[in-house]
Amino acid sequence: MDPSQDNPIIRFKAFFWALAVFGFFGLLLAVIALNNRKAPPSLEDVVAVKRYETRAKVDADQQANFSYKMVEEGKTVQVPPHDVFAHVGKVLSQSKPAAVERPECVIPGSPTQKKMEAEAANAAPVVIKENDANAPIDPAVMEAGKTSFAICMACHGPEGNGVAGLAPPLAGSEWVVGPVENPIRIVLRGLGGPLSVKGLDYNLPAPMVAAAYLTDDQIASVLTYVRNSFGNKASAVTADQVKAYRGEVGQPALKATDLKAPK
Ligand code: HEC
């Protein structure tokens, strides 16, 4: 008889193998299960989750209830808070550089300045109609002009006779009573360099600075006033005539040669 038939261990070899394999996989599964066992959430975790939820809700509420109003091209647009910076950046990048709005800030010789010069040279010359020199002058306009004349008086003197070393006279000046565009442009742009007034040659140390901050009405009235005071007699200046030259504001100060020759 085969001795192995007597050995139960050998007889049940397959059974023991199955037991060993089963046991091994069972142990493996147990180890994996133990490793994957979730620890109960800590108090910190619970609080953190709650905090994120609250934060998300507050953000959503803010977006729904607040938005920053921004004025863009005259209309008001609603911008959610988180977009404000992006929006401001967009508006800034689209807006014209400040230098173009303030030509005095343009760097001399820069491409911007050359472009602006070319544009100014190509612009059609302004032609305005002179008013009737014999038409009566509105006393209210003269009154308003006298008030604004305080500015001019500082340099040109209270009677418009000029101040030595500071400014030439306005009384009897061909620039004042001549073509109306001359005094308008002088006030809008300023005037510098050698200048002849009433047959006298001036070359003053400091130029006249522009007074373009005055309104069209104020410039019209002050020029009507100087053209009809101190013995001067010339047509009234209207706000429309001043407005016609507004486009020149910011260009460099005029020189006598830029002006229309007075007769
Ligand atoms: C800061 C001093 C100053 C002020 C203020 C001033 N001017 Fe002048 N003005 C001058 C100077 C300087 C000249 C001569 C510029 C030159 O030499 O090229 C002049 C020239 C003129 C001229 C041409 C020359 C002449 O005498 O006729 C007119 C017109 C004139 N100014 C009008 C005015 C008016 C109008 C105001 C007020 C709105 C005014 N000015 C304010 C300094 C000034």
Side-chain angles (χ1 to χ4, degrees), residues 7 13 22 66 105 111 119 138 158 161 170 214 232 240 250-251:
N7 188 333
K13 202 161 66 173
F22 186 80
F66 306 104
C105 298
E119 276 170 11
D138 184 349
N161 289 323
L170 300 177
L214 295 173
N232 293 342
D240 278 345
Q251 286 183 43

Side-chain angles (χ1 to χ4, degrees), residues 59-82:
D59 278 353
D61 279 357
Q62 273 194 345
Q63 271 190 39
N65 297 322
F66 306 104
S67 44
Y68 290 69
K69 285 186 170 137
M70 302 194 72
V71 178
E72 192 182 57
E73 287 160 9
K75 63 180 192 298
T76 302
V77 292
Q78 300 276 327
V79 181
H82 63 281

Side-chain angles (χ1 to χ4, degrees), residues 25-236:
F25 280 107
L27 211 67
L28 201 69
L29 280 173
V31 167
I32 290 171
L34 269 173
N35 268 344
N36 279 358
R37 197 183 47 152
K38 257 212 190 99
S42 69
L43 188 62
E44 281 86 354
D45 287 347
V46 174
V47 171
V49 167
K50 201 72 204 153
R51 210 186 289 131
Y52 282 123
E53 281 173 10
T54 312
R55 176 66 205 270
K57 193 177 166 316
V58 168
D59 278 353
D61 279 357
Q62 273 194 345
Q63 271 190 39
N65 297 322
F66 306 104
S67 44
Y68 290 69
K69 285 186 170 137
M70 302 194 72
V71 178
E72 192 182 57
E73 287 160 9
K75 63 180 192 298
T76 302
V77 292
Q78 300 276 327
V79 181
H82 63 281
D83 276 353
V84 163
F85 288 110
H87 188 79
V88 168
K90 196 186 98 194
V91 169
L92 286 180
S93 67
Q94 283 174 354
S95 55
K96 278 191 273 175
V100 176
E101 275 153 24
R102 301 184 54 196
E104 68 273 21
C105 298
V106 173
I107 300 162
S110 67
T112 307
Q113 197 225 19
K114 286 187 185 124
K115 193 167 154 255
M116 284 167 68
E117 265 178 14
E119 276 170 11
N122 288 337
V126 182
V127 183
I128 53 167
K129 212 167 124 289
E130 302 269 339
N131 290 312
D132 182 359
N134 295 315
I137 309 288
D138 184 349
V141 171
M142 286 294 278
E143 209 42 52
K146 193 176 179 180
T147 308
S148 300
F149 182 70
I151 302 163
C152 324
M153 203 167 82
C155 295
H156 290 282
E159 293 304 317
N161 289 323
V163 174
L166 196 59
L170 300 177
S173 161
E174 64 271 35
W175 301 105
V176 172
V177 296
V180 70
E181 64 167 74
N182 287 342
I184 293 175
R185 295 177 71 216
I186 291 172
V187 173
L188 289 175
R189 282 176 60 179
L191 181 68
L195 179 77
S196 159
V197 184
K198 294 207 285 179
L200 287 177
D201 290 332
Y202 293 85
N203 200 352
L204 293 154
M208 168 167 161
V209 285
Y213 58 86
L214 295 173
T215 65
D216 293 345
D217 274 318
Q218 284 170 326
I219 294 175
S221 60
V222 77
L223 290 180
T224 302
Y225 176 79
V226 296
R227 276 159 72 90
N228 292 279
S229 303
F230 333 120
N232 293 342
K233 180 84 194 89
S235 63

